Amino acid sequence: MEEETSQWKQALINSSAGAISGAISRTVTSPLDVIKIRFQVQLEPTSLWTSLHRDLSKPSKYTGMFQATKDIFREEGIRGFWRGNVPALLMVMPYTAIQFTVLHKLKTFASGSSKTENHINLSPYLSYVSGAVAGCAATVGSYPFDLLRTILASQGEPKVYPNMRSASIDILQTRGFRGLYSGLSPTLVEIIPYAGLQFGTYDTFKRWTMAWNQVQYSNTAAEESISSFQLFLCGLAAGTCAKLVCHPLDVVKKRFQIEGLQRHPRYGARVEHRAYRNMFDALKRILQKEGWAGLYKGIVPSTVKAAPAGAVTFVAYELTSDWLESILT
């Protein structure tokens, strides 16, 4: 009975710390996420050089990170950078809560111990696999909010959908219930390597940091020797590595999420309904029409966002879970 109570406490700590860290990270990096999404759903070139050297009937709306920042601020004000943040929080809080809870359960099962300090000795391969499985579980549990976040963040001004409710109703009317899971397949294909790399590389960098600290300071209490700044750097490196590898699949996911939905003409051509048969067809068509650059649209704000987002998430999680453990145990 006491062991069962302890497991429930640990699950509460993991889910609460995950939800809080996800909310902090998402809110802090929302402006970069909005810019990234605008680039990803734009069918026209996203660089000024490419748009000038192509025969385009209509110029690109966004042609660079600074130009996009300036235009969004001028047309939508400071609030434009937090467009879609409510569904983003509704998505990311259960997502990170599920992710960290499942991750801890898997590591507990693999190590035979529920103590976090014992998980650092797990094989790197188990860290990658645990991260991938946890990412899949979290994605399925929170996906409709991810879809709504993308739609609201991509629309600009004037708004096509004034709020989550109107967007949800239009999706259900035009696509049916399955429409709330449009793009789930490429998302799962993306999240397996992304979450695996993010958590696996984070654990690897953390293990290296502990070893370096032991050598540098002759400190046997390696776990205690990792500073918040070192955790931040580990999360920064993990987020960057994962995003650089998986970005093309994120572009494909965004295209599926907004296909067939209304879009104001000032933001360029819209993605027509059933424009892509499947994930591989989408990759092929984007390559044919937009080149390799099309698969990496939004890579600059995405990488700039992914690094601090990963760092903030991991540091906030570690600090919050330590704080909750001191209160509840």
Side-chain angles (χ1 to χ4, degrees):
M1 185 67 181
E2 190 176 328
E3 186 181 342
E4 190 175 330
T5 305
S6 176
Q7 288 179 355
W8 274 106
K9 275 186 181 178
Q10 190 61 56
L12 178 63
I13 289 169
N14 293 328
S15 59
S16 300
I20 292 167
S21 63
I24 293 169
S25 175
R26 174 62 63 181
T27 303
V28 169
T29 59
S30 179
L32 290 166
D33 201 44
V34 168
I35 294 169
K36 180 200 77 167
I37 290 172
R38 299 288 175 93
F39 281 141
Q40 289 179 322
V41 301
Q42 179 174 290
L43 299 183
E44 295 79 17
T46 55
S47 73
L48 185 60
W49 177 261
T50 309
S51 62
L52 288 174
H53 287 76
R54 282 199 182 183
D55 184 22
L56 299 173
S57 57
K58 189 175 181 181
S60 300
K61 172 66 177 172
Y62 301 116
T63 55
M65 191 169 164
F66 294 110
Q67 179 267 335
T69 304
K70 188 177 69 175
D71 273 19
I72 292 170
F73 182 73
R74 188 183 71 248
E75 295 169 1
E76 305 167 44
I78 194 72
R79 291 180 65 183
F81 293 106
W82 276 268
R83 193 178 296 283
N85 198 48
V86 173
L89 288 175
L90 291 174
M91 177 272 290
V92 81
M93 290 180 76
Y95 178 90
T96 47
I98 295 168
Q99 189 175 45
F100 279 105
T101 302
V102 172
L103 186 70
H104 189 272
K105 282 285 185 186
L106 290 169
K107 287 185 173 182
T108 298
F109 176 76
S111 66
S113 170
S114 61
K115 293 182 179 179
T116 305
E117 56 266 28
N118 294 331
H119 296 170
I120 200 68
N121 298 316
L122 282 174
S123 161
Y125 300 109
L126 279 172
S127 293
Y128 285 95
V129 171
S130 298
V133 173
C136 286
T139 298
V140 174
S142 60
Y143 190 79
F145 293 113
D146 185 23
L147 179 81
L148 291 169
R149 182 277 309 253
T150 297
I151 291 167
L152 293 178
S154 68
Q155 63 180 348
E157 288 287 350
K159 293 179 183 177
V160 176
Y161 304 108
N163 51 47
M164 282 174 57
R165 184 173 176 274
S166 63
S168 302
I169 290 170
D170 188 54
I171 291 167
L172 289 169
Q173 287 177 343
T174 57
R175 300 179 181 175
F177 181 76
R178 289 180 63 183
L180 292 173
Y181 286 87
S182 295
L184 180 61
S185 295
T187 303
L188 289 174
V189 172
E190 175 209 3
I191 207 66
I192 290 171
Y194 181 77
L197 277 169
Q198 189 178 35
F199 283 96
T201 52
Y202 177 71
D203 282 349
T204 301
F205 289 137
K206 193 174 170 183
R207 194 179 293 111
W208 289 348
T209 303
M210 287 167 59
W212 185 84
N213 283 349
Q214 280 186 298
V215 172
Q216 194 77 4
Y217 304 111
S218 300
N219 185 1
T220 53
E223 174 68 18
E224 295 176 3
S225 70
I226 300 182
S227 66
S228 295
F229 182 67
Q230 287 177 322
L231 288 173
F232 182 86
L233 291 178
C234 290
L236 198 76
T240 304
C241 291
K243 182 51 69 178
L244 287 172
V245 172
C246 303
H247 187 79
L249 291 169
D250 192 38
V251 172
V252 171
K253 177 185 85 170
K254 294 292 188 291
R255 297 292 177 89
F256 273 109
Q257 287 180 328
I258 64 150
E259 69 170 1
L261 296 177
Q262 301 173 54
R263 182 173 169 83
H264 197 277
R266 74 191 289 183
Y267 292 95
R270 74 170 191 165
V271 181
E272 297 298 333
H273 186 50
R274 300 195 184 283
Y276 311 116
R277 290 194 300 274
N278 51 50
M279 184 182 69
F280 298 107
D281 181 58
L283 286 166
K284 186 177 78 173
R285 287 176 184 270
I286 292 170
L287 270 174
Q288 287 174 344
K289 294 181 179 178
E290 304 168 48
W292 280 99
L295 290 175
Y296 283 90
K297 282 182 174 177
I299 187 64
V300 174
S302 181
T303 307
V304 172
K305 172 224 164 190
V312 171
T313 299
F314 283 120
V315 173
Y317 175 78
E318 300 268 5
L319 295 178
T320 307
S321 60
D322 287 346
W323 175 66
L324 287 172
E325 277 185 15
S326 68
I327 295 172
L328 298 175
T329 57

